[in-house]
Amino acid sequence: MIEYENLERLNRPFVNAFKESFNSTLNSGWYVLGNNVKTFENKFATYCGTKYCVGLNSGLDALILGIQALELPEHSEILVPSNTYIATILAIIQNNYKPVLVEPELHTYTISPSEVEKKITPKTSAILVVHLYGKMANMVEINNIAKKNNLKVIEDAAQSHGAMLNEIKAGNWSDVAAFSFYPTKNLGALGDAGAITTNSESIALKIAALRNYGSHKKYHNKYIGVNSRLDEVQAGFLNVKLDFLDKINEHKRKLAFIYNQELSNFYTKPVVQESFFDVFHIYNVLTPERDRLKEYLEKKGVKTEIHYPCAPHNQEALKGYFVETYPISEKIHQQTLSLPISFFHTEVEVRTVIKHLNNFAHDHK
Ligand SMILES: Cc1ncc(COP(=O)(O)O)c(C=O)c1O
């Protein structure tokens, strides 16, 4: 059987280093906001090329606190892609701003700059882009639009650690960027973890206080904050894994290249664009036969996933928020299938997956 993901197998190469890191944290006697967190913040900021990184306890909190720190006008509108994971939209709503859904480009799955321009109103205060599946949004165009219209830019980089556009990394293209280190991510912890990156000292300081009860100085509270600190044990694990992130990304890129080369054109495959360095958190194909294909692969012993089966505007939790239709997003949600592409998958396994997909394509032409 070819699994879609297996976190134990994924983490096997790092087990000894994880154990050493855990023992060292245990023996340090310092379990909250200690050296591991500080080291990780410095290392990850350097990796992304940003001045600051603040460790938090999840990607959702990174989005929530990142948006909060921007101090946008009350009840203003934030533009966000209609085909994202729901967390992106929840973070806007939890800050009492209005999410305005913008359709993605069908060939990149990222927010369409021309659609962004159509949705700007006097109430728009920010554009929240999502670098979905490991591919960066077109930040050159998005930042031009933002500049012209005096809008803030936020990146949801939860799926794109190390992805680049024009050799500049995700997390370094906006006022504030949110990362998730959920265990399945390219840089994944052994539990929940997240961070923001920014080049603004004031935003970094504000988020560092917000994550710690709003405290900028021990027992002095400047803001109404929360407890959303990156855990010291998880930061230790992330320090181990960050050293291997480029290797993990390279492996996934190699497998994606094989899929792109050898998969039948019966499927719509991820687009390859000059200047974009994609890291394939997810490798997806589109086909109107998605559900039958998933079942077929399951019978052949190949596990797949759907990211995501239900578009945010169709979620029960968001009923009443959106009145328009989002045909491109609907199409993606109906047709997308994610294929195995973990760090532990071998080229042989990927070629087995390809064989089954190509046989299916042959029978359905
Ligand atoms: C695009 C996107 N945004 C936000 C999140 C939320 O991150 P977390 O699960 O760490 O809260 C995720 C993670 O699943 C995600 O994929």
Side-chain angles (χ1 to χ4, degrees):
M1 206 239 302
I2 298 177
E3 294 166 294
Y4 180 76
E5 186 56 281
N6 178 331
L7 294 173
E8 185 276 324
R9 200 172 153 203
L10 166 66
N11 284 303
R12 226 176 269 164
F14 315 110
V15 164
N16 286 338
F18 284 160
K19 284 181 179 166
E20 261 176 49
S21 166
F22 177 76
N23 284 337
S24 143
T25 309
L26 183 64
N27 294 335
S28 77
W30 193 291
Y31 305 136
V32 177
L33 291 187
N35 283 335
N36 290 345
V37 171
K38 263 190 228 120
T39 303
F40 178 72
E41 289 174 340
N42 288 333
K43 271 172 72 164
F44 196 62
T46 304
Y47 181 84
C48 295
T50 56
K51 288 192 183 148
Y52 307 98
C53 166
V54 181
L56 301 166
N57 80 1
S58 70
L60 176 58
D61 274 5
L63 285 163
I64 292 174
L65 300 183
I67 293 170
Q68 189 182 341
L70 293 179
E71 300 176 7
L72 301 169
E74 257 184 48
H75 307 299
S76 58
E77 297 174 355
I78 300 182
L79 306 182
V80 61
S82 53
N83 64 323
T84 183
Y85 182 56
I86 194 167
T88 326
I89 295 166
L90 296 180
I92 298 173
I93 294 171
Q94 300 216 1
N95 272 294
N96 286 320
Y97 297 117
K98 185 179 172 200
V100 173
L101 299 185
V102 179
E103 287 270 72
E105 299 169 325
L106 186 56
H107 66 294
T108 63
Y109 308 115
T110 55
I111 198 164
S112 159
S114 58
E115 293 300 311
V116 164
E117 282 193 298
K118 289 186 204 157
K119 292 282 176 100
I120 294 172
T121 72
K123 284 186 157 178
T124 310
S125 60
I127 308 169
L128 200 179
V129 300
V130 182
H131 305 315
L132 202 71
Y133 303 156
K135 171 186 259 318
M136 284 194 52
N138 188 337
M139 295 311 294
V140 174
E141 285 192 38
I142 293 295
N143 280 345
N144 280 339
I145 295 167
K147 207 164 161 194
K148 242 182 6 206
N149 293 279
N150 200 21
L151 304 175
K152 297 284 186 198
V153 177
I154 306 151
E155 290 169 87
D156 181 338
Q159 302 190 1
S160 59
H161 321 83
M164 288 189 275
L165 168 57
N166 295 338
E167 298 187 2
I168 297 173
K169 291 225 169 78
N172 199 1
W173 285 89
S174 56
D175 295 285
V176 65
F179 285 88
S180 163
F181 307 118
Y182 185 78
T184 56
K185 298 293 194 274
N186 286 24
L187 177 59
L190 303 186
D192 278 310
I196 64 94
T197 55
T198 179
N199 287 309
S200 156
E201 186 184 23
S202 60
I203 288 173
L205 286 174
K206 183 159 186 191
I207 294 173
L210 285 172
R211 73 172 170 188
N212 193 29
Y213 320 113
S215 170
H216 60 301
K217 202 163 92 184
K218 200 169 182 188
Y219 301 130
H220 290 79
N221 297 67
K222 194 166 171 178
Y223 310 108
I224 304 287
V226 292
N227 178 348
S228 179
R229 300 174 291 228
L230 172 59
D231 183 82
E232 191 63 10
V233 174
Q234 294 302 338
F237 296 149
L238 287 169
N239 282 328
V240 168
K241 223 158 164 188
L242 181 50
D243 292 340
F244 293 90
L245 177 55
D246 284 340
K247 209 171 154 196
I248 293 168
N249 287 344
E250 269 318 316
H251 184 75
K252 287 165 88 82
R253 281 171 56 77
K254 189 171 70 190
L255 299 183
F257 181 79
I258 296 173
Y259 275 132
N260 269 356
Q261 290 285 305
E262 298 179 19
L263 263 182
S264 156
N265 287 330
F266 174 79
Y267 306 106
T268 306
K269 296 177 264 185
V271 68
V272 179
Q273 294 166 294
E274 217 183 301
S275 322
F276 283 79
F277 183 90
D278 309 329
V279 295
F280 296 97
H281 167 57
I282 284 164
Y283 183 96
N284 79 315
V285 291
L286 288 192
T287 167
E289 302 290 335
R290 193 267 314 276
D291 292 338
R292 274 202 280 171
L293 172 65
K294 187 169 182 15
E295 218 178 285
Y296 174 88
L297 291 172
E298 180 95 27
K299 283 197 189 125
K300 300 287 177 191
V302 176
K303 298 274 189 197
T304 55
E305 290 284 341
I306 296 171
H307 298 95
Y308 299 91
C310 180
H313 64 274
N314 291 329
Q315 292 285 358
E316 195 180 339
L318 298 180
K319 216 169 166 182
Y321 276 88
F322 309 108
V323 288
E324 287 177 40
T325 55
Y326 304 95
I328 296 182
S329 183
E330 294 268 355
K331 182 173 174 178
I332 295 168
H333 286 83
Q334 282 159 15
Q335 299 198 1
T336 191
L337 188 69
S338 309
L339 307 181
I341 189 159
S342 187
F343 183 48
F344 64 78
H345 283 118
T346 62
E347 292 180 30
V348 172
E349 284 176 304
V350 160
R351 289 207 162 89
T352 306
V353 178
I354 291 169
K355 182 188 79 188
H356 292 308
L357 274 137
N358 287 352
N359 285 343
F360 181 88
H362 184 263
D363 294 345
H364 288 81
K365 263 188 189 141

